Amino acid sequence: MGAGAKHRLVFVDRLLATLVHPRHAVTHDVLACWFGVDRSTITRAIGEVRPLLAERGCTISPGARLRTLAEVVDHLGTSGKTGIIDGTEIRVRRPAAGRKDRDQFISGKSKQNAVRTMVVTDGDGRVLFCSPAEHGSCADITHARPLGPVRLLGGGPVLEILADAGYQGLGAQTGGRVVTPPHRKFKKNAPDWYEEMHERQRKAHSSRRIRVEHGIAHLKNWRALVRHLGRREHIGDMVQAVAGLPSHQQTADLTSAQQM
């Protein structure tokens, strides 16, 4: 018992270093100078604490957290709230030359090396779930399918989840529970009345799902989720660790507003 090197940083300092690193994109060298320890000490501390934060999940009420998409679906079905899903990209370092999957990180949307994650919020923009990261070339609907929305929603509770055009096709597969923008029936020479109706429906749908952009903006306040300069294999834990922190603050703010 008690064998092995002792930590030179107490747990509070290790937690602080782990939080400052993604919040301000501070390098391990700078954190080492700040705490007066070796760089390897900071690297080990972040490597130990980051998975713990990733396992916490997203807070929906004091003492209650959501960790999986199945729990999110159950929560939305029980509470009767509308969910909103959207994908967001995080820039990463370019893979080394000669790597087989090097081109898979190039996003077709931004034309940059990135990874993609799916964010789920409620109608108030509170973050409920962030998926593991996938290559930037992965389409939104391709990323969503392995997470099981068709299985969870097809025979699950009656609820509504708003999504953008990148998820068209999930609506029919989930019994209409996933709502996407209306399809455009006329490609060319559309009548004026149809253009007006389609634009009105599109704007109405966009105004309802704009809250997910607010939730993503809270995540992007953490600079490591704007451009991740560390190892790409750590970005999954990083995303899920950060997701639980804004959701906790959002829940606290919402609780205070309801009490007032």
Side-chain angles (χ1 to χ4, degrees), residues 21-25 88-93 110 112-117 215-230 235 238-239 242:
H21 172 56
R23 177 62 169 161
H24 300 287
T88 185
E89 293 181 351
I90 304 168
R91 291 180 61 189
V92 295
R93 294 184 303 171
S110 63
Q112 296 176 334
N113 290 275
V115 295
R116 181 182 300 273
T117 183
I216 292 175
H218 282 294
L219 297 178
K220 292 302 181 73
N221 284 334
W222 294 70
R223 294 190 62 184
L225 299 192
V226 177
R227 184 174 184 181
H228 182 68
L229 299 177
I235 188 64
M238 183 74 74
V239 169
V242 169

Side-chain angles (χ1 to χ4, degrees), residues 11-28:
F11 180 76
V12 174
D13 288 341
R14 283 183 280 157
L15 176 61
L16 180 59
T18 307
L19 294 176
V20 172
H21 172 56
R23 177 62 169 161
H24 300 287
V26 179
T27 64
H28 293 189

